[in-house]
Amino acid sequence: MGGTETDLNPQEQVTAANKAFEQEFERFVRFTGETAPTGLSLAEATAEERALAELRTRHTGKKSAWAATKKLIGRVEADQRAAFGQLVQATEAEIVAKLDAAEGNLKQLIEAHRTARESIDVTLPGRRSRYGHRHPITLLRERIEDIFVSLGYVIEDGREIETDFYNFAALNIPDNHPARGTQDTFYTTDGFALRSQTSTVQIHAMQRRGVPVRMIAPGRVFRRDTPDPTHNPMFYQVEGLCVDRGITMAHLKGTVGEFLRRMFGADTVTRFRPSYFPFTEPSAEFDFSCFKCKGSGCRICKNSGWIELGGSGMVHPNVLRTVGVDPEEYSGFAFGLGIDRMVGLMYNLDDIRLLFENDVRFLEQFE
Ligand code: DAH
């Protein structure tokens, strides 16, 4: 740029630099008005903003003609220096004001475009949120709880880690009793094991509540079983206990029968078969007439017409004595049933292990 410019005197150089700016700024003049011009797309406005920024660097940056002009201030005659300095400053202020005005205007345009683009279209259909589902075992557990609560029973929680006393000894299963073998469980720290049955809650409930007591205790139990389509090392049981004065086996049969009629319909028949459990005397297992074929025989009941459900009996006097209840004054019945296999039958599952794989596509079918 040197050649021509040095031929000009300082004032002329200011005018020349200003003129060069004005020429290039020409296309941005439309952005210096009160309001921004309409009709510009976001892309156009952004391109203009970029061009304006480049123009600003070119005309006011360190290497610009304008910067060279400012250096002349020191070189003009001392008596003219003040006036020249003022001219340079005033001209520069004008240039900067014009650039700022155009830039402000363009930024406003861009902002308006962006706001419009990001605003919500209230006419668009919403996204439906997915509801969770209760697990089929939870569904059955809640139905059972409802029935027993309506019969005046309370629901007990129990614990999953137990001592030998609650899982065996207090339930009349002494050391070396063969019943321990069929309920081999998982041992944790010395003296503790995962409970193999919910019968443990009978003891806790009587210790805490005393008698009379009517309670059910749903919960998880654990056994060293190899998983197959009808077994899992972890499964769910519901325990029931009723202790009061004058309780007989008739109460047991009446209660279990009423429960099963409410579960599977008024025409459901219940039958009791003699059995053995260490914590009941006498003991019985109970079956109910198949909910599908009503007893005539089908695939679900393996053509027997009956579905086996659980164990029961009159609470053994030793169990009552262990918790300080006098068996001469009080008697009671207890029962226990597994609910995983029942869910399997009700929903026609080939494999109850499906219940614990937590595949949402499977679980969401039940409600
Ligand atoms: N606890 C037994 C089991 O896990 C089931 C059972 C049988 C519970 C008889 C009872 C009962 O309360 O009286 O196999």
Side-chain angles (χ1 to χ4, degrees), residues 3-313:
T4 51
E5 269 159 345
T6 43
D7 296 341
L8 302 172
N9 69 35
Q11 277 85 356
E12 285 170 338
Q13 280 194 46
V14 172
T15 315
N18 188 30
K19 211 167 150 204
F21 166 76
E22 300 233 299
Q23 254 171 23
E24 274 205 63
F25 188 73
E26 184 90 42
R27 57 184 270 220
F28 295 105
V29 170
R30 61 187 178 130
F31 297 114
T32 54
E34 282 278 287
T35 51
T38 51
L40 241 71
S41 71
L42 176 60
E44 286 165 341
T46 322
E48 288 296 78
E49 188 198 30
R50 207 177 310 120
L52 182 73
E54 279 163 17
L55 190 149
R56 187 192 285 271
T57 343
R58 225 174 316 118
H59 284 276
T60 64
K62 279 202 193 102
K63 290 180 187 149
S64 62
W66 189 255
T69 311
K70 283 204 281 192
K71 283 189 198 127
L72 295 174
I73 298 176
R75 278 194 245 144
V76 298
E77 297 300 323
D79 56 341
Q80 289 168 32
R81 197 171 294 155
F84 180 71
Q86 273 167 18
L87 172 70
V88 172
Q89 263 175 14
T91 314
E92 183 174 63
E94 260 172 55
I95 292 175
V96 171
K98 284 178 188 164
L99 286 167
D100 287 351
E103 188 186 279
N105 221 320
L106 280 163
K107 283 212 153 61
Q108 217 176 301
L109 262 179
I110 291 166
E111 194 50 40
H113 269 296
R114 294 211 168 118
T115 313
R117 193 177 58 182
E118 281 157 22
S119 66
I120 297 167
D121 179 354
V122 292
T123 65
L124 278 177
R127 263 180 229 135
R128 199 178 294 275
S129 52
R130 281 180 69 178
Y131 290 104
H133 290 261
R134 277 175 303 172
H135 193 279
I137 288 183
T138 306
L139 290 172
L140 179 60
R141 193 201 74 212
E142 287 178 354
R143 278 179 66 189
I144 296 172
E145 287 176 356
D146 281 351
I147 293 170
F148 279 100
V149 165
S150 81
L151 294 175
Y153 282 65
V154 294
I155 295 168
E156 280 283 333
D157 235 352
R159 43 188 88 161
E160 290 174 358
I161 296 180
E162 276 295 1
T163 57
D164 184 276
F165 174 76
Y166 287 97
N167 201 69
F168 295 119
L171 289 165
N172 202 30
I173 313 173
D175 272 347
N176 304 320
H177 191 286
R180 293 197 176 212
T182 60
Q183 297 209 357
D184 199 9
T185 179
F186 301 93
Y187 292 87
T188 59
T189 334
D190 237 12
F192 292 96
L194 300 182
R195 68 175 175 191
S196 62
Q197 50 183 347
T198 47
S199 302
T200 52
V201 192
Q202 292 186 23
I203 309 301
H204 288 293
M206 286 192 282
Q207 284 181 332
R208 206 172 48 244
R209 295 176 179 273
V211 288
V213 67
R214 285 171 175 74
M215 70 91 194
I216 62 160
R220 272 196 285 209
V221 300
F222 309 84
R223 291 196 194 166
R224 277 189 47 191
D225 275 339
T226 310
D228 69 31
T230 54
H231 292 88
N232 256 323
M234 184 279 288
F235 57 101
Y236 286 80
Q237 286 188 335
V238 175
E239 188 78 12
L241 175 71
C242 166
V243 178
D244 206 337
R245 290 189 177 88
I247 296 295
T248 69
M249 196 122 186
H251 296 107
L252 165 64
K253 293 179 80 174
T255 305
V256 171
E258 178 63 16
F259 156 62
L260 289 167
R261 279 190 297 277
R262 292 208 199 171
M263 269 303 290
F264 297 108
D267 52 355
T268 308
V269 183
T270 312
R271 91 177 170 185
F272 286 78
R273 287 178 284 112
S275 185
Y276 170 77
F277 298 103
F279 35 88
T280 44
E281 181 58 37
S283 304
E285 283 175 66
F286 55 94
D287 312 330
F288 65 102
S289 54
C290 178
F291 57 85
K292 190 80 184 179
C293 65
K294 299 292 169 198
S296 58
C298 68
R299 201 182 77 96
I300 287 183
C301 58
K302 297 198 194 92
N303 280 319
S304 74
W306 296 97
I307 295 175
E308 296 180 10
L309 189 56
S312 66

